[in-house]
């Protein structure tokens, strides 16, 4: 089975590794000219951790993050409202990890290059369109210079991001994503540890 994955983000790379593990021939196409470790900190919840553990990546990821012990909410006066244990501290098989998004994506990318072969991660290929015939997908990718590349496969995994060409084709009346109006500002500082 030949699988075409559009998008080398976390979802696309995880899908590629999982499909490769069950014997699929997988090629990943990424719109960016190179995959860079972008993004901010994320929390990798235990159910996602179990998938990554099955792919043999949990030890690497645990070394890159913090095994979150608890989730606690406080009011503006610092009074505890509510809390609960997380990950292994809540009885899960894998931890809840707090780690940089780029560290997760870089780990997935390194594993995909090692297992699939570096030549099967193709950059500068943005998903443009696809057609499906009986038993075959024809997928067209466009480079930044405008050159079109058509590939065929049995399955297309569309992990091509928030401005997904696949989603636009499958749900044309949906329109583009709607901005929520919320902005999150993050900062770090050195301070003594507190709580867990």
């Amino acid at each position: 089975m030949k699988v075409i994955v559009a998008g080398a983000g976390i979802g696309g790379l995880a899908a590629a590794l999982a499909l490769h593990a069950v014997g699929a021939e997988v090629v990943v196409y990424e719109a960016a000219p190179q995959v860079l470790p972008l993004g901010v900190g994320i929390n990798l919840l235990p159910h996602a951790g179990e998938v990554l553990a099955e792919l043999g990546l949990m030890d690497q990821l645990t070394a890159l993050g913090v095994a979150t012990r608890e989730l606690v909410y406080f009011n503006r006066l610092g009074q505890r409202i509510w809390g609960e244990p997380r990950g292994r501290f809540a009885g899960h098989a894998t931890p809840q990890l707090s780690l940089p998004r780029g560290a997760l994506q870089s780990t997935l990318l390194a594993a995909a290059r090692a297992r699939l072969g570096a030549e099967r991660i193709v950059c500068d290929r943005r998903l443009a369109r696809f057609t499906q015939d009986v038993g075959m997908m024809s997928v067209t990718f466009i480079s930044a210079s405008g050159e079109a590349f058509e590939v065929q496969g049995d399955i297309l995994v569309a992990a091509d991001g928030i401005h997904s060409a696949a989603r636009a084709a499958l749900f044309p009346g949906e329109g583009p994503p709607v901005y929520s109006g919320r902005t999150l500002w993050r900062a770090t500082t050195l301070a003594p540890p507190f709580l867990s």
Side-chain angles (χ1 to χ4, degrees):
M1 173 178 28
K2 183 175 179 182
V3 180
I4 300 163
V5 176
I10 293 167
L13 291 170
L17 287 166
L19 288 161
H20 173 76
V22 296
E25 178 187 337
V26 183
V27 181
V28 179
Y29 296 89
E30 167 57 39
Q34 62 180 343
V35 181
L36 298 172
L38 303 174
V40 295
I42 61 171
N43 277 297
L44 185 65
L45 298 179
H47 58 281
E50 289 176 22
V51 171
L52 295 170
E54 286 182 26
L55 295 174
L57 300 175
M58 206 53 180
D59 289 342
Q60 288 174 267
L61 293 171
T62 300
L64 298 171
V66 173
T68 304
R69 183 176 187 90
E70 62 185 336
L71 171 67
V72 184
Y73 290 99
F74 294 87
N75 68 16
R76 64 184 179 86
L77 301 175
Q79 298 163 318
R80 182 184 173 111
I81 299 170
W82 174 80
E84 69 176 19
R86 304 302 266 180
R88 285 194 175 129
F89 303 99
H92 293 279
T94 58
Q96 174 175 323
L97 291 179
S98 299
L99 75 165
R101 182 201 173 278
L104 172 57
Q105 186 178 12
S106 294
T107 301
L108 290 166
L109 179 62
R113 284 181 173 149
R115 296 175 193 181
L116 279 63
E119 73 283 355
R120 293 187 177 271
I121 312 296
V122 183
C123 289
D124 190 24
R125 300 292 184 270
R126 179 183 49 81
L127 176 63
R129 61 189 165 277
F130 59 92
T131 58
Q132 182 176 0
D133 294 322
V134 176
M136 186 176 75
M137 300 290 302
S138 293
V139 184
T140 303
F141 293 94
I142 305 290
S143 70
S145 66
E147 188 177 355
F149 299 87
E150 187 169 313
V151 295
Q152 282 80 38
D154 299 302
I155 296 173
L156 168 64
V157 175
D160 56 326
I162 193 166
H163 300 289
S164 171
R167 185 176 58 237
L170 293 170
F171 303 99
E174 183 179 74
V178 178
Y179 175 52
S180 68
R182 296 185 182 125
T183 301
L184 175 65
W185 297 94
R186 295 180 185 228
T188 60
T189 186
L190 295 175
F194 64 98
L195 299 175
S196 60

